[in-house]
Amino acid sequence: MLAEFLGTFVLILLGVGSVAVAVVGLPGSGRQFVDFGPANWLIICWGWGLAVVFGVYVAGGISGAHINPAVTLAFAVRRDFPLKKVPAYWLAQVCGAFVAAALVYACYRWAIDAADAKAGLARDESLATYSIFATFPAEYFGDSWWGPLLDQIVGTGILLLLVCALIDLKNVAPLSNLHPFLIGLVVVAIGLTFGTNAGYAINPARDFGPRLFTYFEGWGDIALPGTFGWFSGYWWIPIVGPLIGGVAGVLVYDLIIKPVVTARARAMEAQEEGPATEEA
């Protein structure tokens, strides 16, 4: 639990920190003189990708570095992880995310207050500064809950499908402990391809821990129940969507790819053992 707590803490500290840089840090510090744009989005995508890399390196040798409740549930469904340990992992992950969000806020609260003051908004009206910590759907979804939910299912499904491929030693998995780096690149890719729909939470702890913090820190209904302008009651979508998508991703891999690579590995082992058996 401590490893999952610390791994998720590192993930959120660096990931949310990168969003803080892009949203309030650069503009507020005088280092950026244009509106939020593609360059800021690249900071966020690479920030989250590297956050995953180092979060996995921190906790990987102890807990497997799930650092994501969707990963924990998916591995339990495929019987790679004991079901009875799922609640403990989830608790550790959410707590790690909450504490990390609090530390990012402690470091950036001056920039956040300055941004809200410049915009003339009270904290519970400021979607921009809230977005540093947790996610919300794009305005083009309107009041649809299905669009953002589908986005989270697809994004997390891609994540788990590729994680399964990267850790499967019978496939072409990377060696020399490189898989955390490549899993981080998967998150970068998801951010670059699906990120603008709903902020690519793809991790219930990543969204709910900071969301809970922002609720206590004054963002009010924007955080919980997740209501602002074009969306309402949004809080559950970044939880349910990733849990469904994670299970779907491992099932796709296990039904389509795993049987083939397992059969080929067994065939190769049989060929290698054959002559030795005859000589014996």
Side-chain angles (χ1 to χ4, degrees):
M1 288 181 69
L2 287 174
E4 282 298 301
F5 174 92
L6 189 58
T8 311
F9 173 86
V10 169
L11 166 67
I12 303 306
L13 186 73
L14 299 182
V16 170
S18 73
V19 185
V21 166
V23 173
V24 296
L26 284 172
S29 67
R31 294 177 174 86
Q32 177 177 313
F33 302 99
V34 295
D35 292 336
F36 185 100
N40 301 78
W41 190 252
L42 287 175
I43 290 171
I44 292 170
C45 290
W46 280 102
W48 277 109
L50 291 171
V52 169
V53 171
F54 296 117
V56 173
Y57 275 127
V58 164
I62 307 299
S63 66
H66 297 181
I67 62 176
N68 182 340
V71 173
T72 302
L73 178 63
F75 284 1
V77 168
R78 74 188 315 225
R79 299 181 181 179
D80 284 347
F81 184 75
L83 188 61
K84 66 181 181 180
K85 292 185 179 181
V86 168
Y89 267 49
W90 283 4
L91 177 62
Q93 291 155 359
V94 171
C95 288
F98 182 95
V99 174
L103 185 55
V104 171
Y105 174 78
C107 293
Y108 277 98
R109 66 183 180 88
W110 293 272
I112 290 169
D113 289 344
D116 286 343
K118 184 177 180 180
L121 295 172
R123 179 165 291 181
D124 61 0
E125 299 172 336
S126 179
L127 183 64
T129 53
Y130 162 79
S131 71
I132 293 170
F133 300 95
T135 65
F136 64 92
E139 191 168 1
Y140 47 70
F141 284 118
D143 61 356
S144 169
W145 59 266
W146 168 239
L149 181 65
L150 177 62
D151 171 79
Q152 289 300 292
I153 292 171
V154 171
T156 316
I158 294 169
L159 173 65
L160 265 295
L161 172 66
L162 298 181
V163 166
C164 288
L166 289 170
I167 64 174
D168 189 350
L169 296 179
K170 294 183 178 67
N171 205 329
V172 288
L175 302 177
S176 302
N177 295 322
L178 279 176
H179 69 275
F181 181 75
L182 294 177
I183 292 171
L185 288 182
V186 170
V187 174
V188 174
I190 294 170
L192 292 175
T193 54
F194 288 93
T196 55
N197 271 341
Y200 73 113
I202 59 176
N203 180 337
R206 171 265 175 274
D207 189 85
F208 186 70
R211 182 182 295 273
L212 191 59
F213 172 78
T214 56
Y215 175 76
F216 290 131
E217 200 55 45
W219 274 272
D221 287 350
I222 303 177
L224 289 171
T227 297
F228 179 89
W230 61 91
F231 60 92
S232 62
Y234 183 76
W235 69 274
W236 63 273
I237 291 177
I239 297 174
V240 174
L243 293 176
I244 296 172
V247 172
V250 298
L251 290 178
V252 168
Y253 187 85
D254 287 350
L255 291 172
I256 298 175
I257 302 298
K258 187 176 180 180
V260 179
V261 296
T262 300
R264 286 183 175 178
R266 287 173 179 170
M268 292 178 65
E269 290 173 1
Q271 289 177 357
E272 292 173 357
E273 293 173 1
T277 302
E278 291 176 4
E279 290 175 6

